[in-house]
Amino acid sequence: MKKDARQSQPPKIHHYLPGEHQHRKRKKATSSAQQKLHDLLLVVLSGAFIFSAVAFLGIAIYTHFETQQVANEKQLAASELENEQQLLKNLQQQAERLKDNDYIMKLARGRYYLSKDGEIIFSIPEDNDSKQAKELNKAYKNASEESSHKTNQEDQ
């Protein structure tokens, strides 16, 4: 029975109106062009997003390293300032001591073997290693090193 029902149906005949076939081709071509445009737009937007993300990340990393460098420079400057302040303090102490005539006499006698009239000086190792002489020598040495260091920096 089923076979009879199939056979009894007339075969399908497609009747195309003039230009209908061309219209279907154009419709497929238009949708294909739209799909290509859509895909291209998606690729361009994805690329722009990725480029923006990479650029943002790069700027963030660059800023981080610049901040670290400034912090290191600040710490170095603070350390140099502290050293300079300590040197200044030592030199001020020496300047105060040099206002005392007794200290100057003791320094001249110990360092340069100067004597009073009729006095004979005998040098022993403890005299040359006096605490005050060491401090003065240290301050003088630091001051001369600092001035030579600054001169070298200016030359560069």
Side-chain angles (χ1 to χ4, degrees), residues 93-154:
Q93 287 175 349
Q94 286 297 325
E96 286 298 316
R97 286 184 190 158
L98 289 173
K99 291 178 183 176
D100 183 15
N101 286 335
D102 291 334
Y103 175 75
I104 293 173
M105 288 176 58
K106 186 175 182 181
L107 186 64
R109 293 175 71 167
R111 201 161 191 203
Y112 301 111
Y113 303 108
L114 297 177
S115 63
K116 295 179 183 177
D117 290 337
E119 184 178 50
I120 299 174
I121 298 178
F122 295 98
S123 177
I124 57 175
E126 290 108 24
D127 288 343
N128 293 334
D129 292 335
S130 71
K131 184 177 179 182
Q132 292 174 344
K134 283 183 182 180
E135 288 179 9
L136 182 62
N137 288 336
K138 182 179 177 182
Y140 178 73
K141 185 177 179 181
N142 286 341
S144 64
E145 286 177 359
E146 290 294 323
S147 65
S148 67
H149 180 56
K150 287 180 183 177
T151 305
N152 290 341
Q153 285 181 345
E154 290 172 0

Side-chain angles (χ1 to χ4, degrees), residues 45-81:
L45 289 176
S46 298
F49 176 75
I50 290 171
F51 177 77
S52 299
V54 168
F56 179 75
L57 185 61
I59 290 170
I61 291 170
Y62 175 76
T63 303
H64 173 71
F65 283 120
E66 285 293 315
T67 304
Q68 284 295 102
Q69 185 178 5
V70 168
N72 290 342
E73 289 175 3
K74 181 180 175 184
Q75 186 177 11
L76 181 63
S79 173
E80 288 178 3
L81 177 63

Side-chain angles (χ1 to χ4, degrees), residues 32-50:
S32 175
Q34 286 176 345
Q35 185 64 35
K36 286 179 183 177
L37 182 63
H38 177 65
D39 291 345
L40 179 64
L41 183 62
L42 185 63
V43 168
V44 168
L45 289 176
S46 298
F49 176 75
I50 290 171

